[in-house]
Amino acid sequence: MITSRSLRHVLGLASAVALTLVLLYLSRFWIWTAPWSGDGLFGVKLFSPYGNLVQRWLSGTWFSELSIVVWGCGAIYLLSVLHWIAAKASR
C-alpha cells in the first residue's frame, strides 16, 4: 500500500524531473530534437522541437547576446517562486 509520505516523495521526484526538462528545453543546452514536428507542439510555432526558446524569444533585441544570463535569472526566479508556493502548501 502506498502511504501519503511515499506518494509525496514520488510526486516530488516527478515534478523535479519535469521542471529540469522544462528548464533544459528553454536553454541553449537542449541537444535533442523533440518528438513533435517542425510546426511546433500542438501546432503552436512558439514551441520549436529544437529547444533554445529563450534565444528565439529574445532574437532581434539587445538582450539576445545575454540570453544565458536572462535564462539563468529567470530560472532562479522560477525556482524561488516554486519554493515559496511549496512552502505555503506544506503548512
Side-chain angles (χ1 to χ4, degrees):
M1 181 181 285
I2 297 178
T3 64
S4 65
R5 185 174 182 176
S6 62
L7 182 62
R8 189 178 337 157
H9 287 296
V10 169
L11 287 176
L13 182 61
S15 64
V17 168
L19 181 62
T20 300
L21 289 175
V22 166
L23 288 175
L24 187 63
Y25 177 70
L26 291 174
S27 75
R28 66 173 70 182
F29 304 112
W30 182 261
I31 59 173
W32 306 282
T33 301
W36 53 86
S37 69
D39 294 337
L41 183 62
F42 303 118
V44 178
K45 292 197 181 275
L46 182 67
F47 300 111
S48 167
Y50 307 110
N52 199 7
L53 289 185
V54 173
Q55 177 68 38
R56 184 167 292 127
W57 292 338
L58 295 175
S59 65
T61 67
W62 181 82
F63 293 109
S64 66
E65 296 177 11
L66 302 171
S67 66
I68 191 70
V69 175
V70 171
W71 174 83
C73 292
I76 290 170
Y77 179 74
L78 175 67
L79 291 173
S80 298
V81 168
L82 290 176
H83 180 264
W84 180 78
I85 291 170
K88 292 290 183 184
S90 67
R91 287 186 183 173

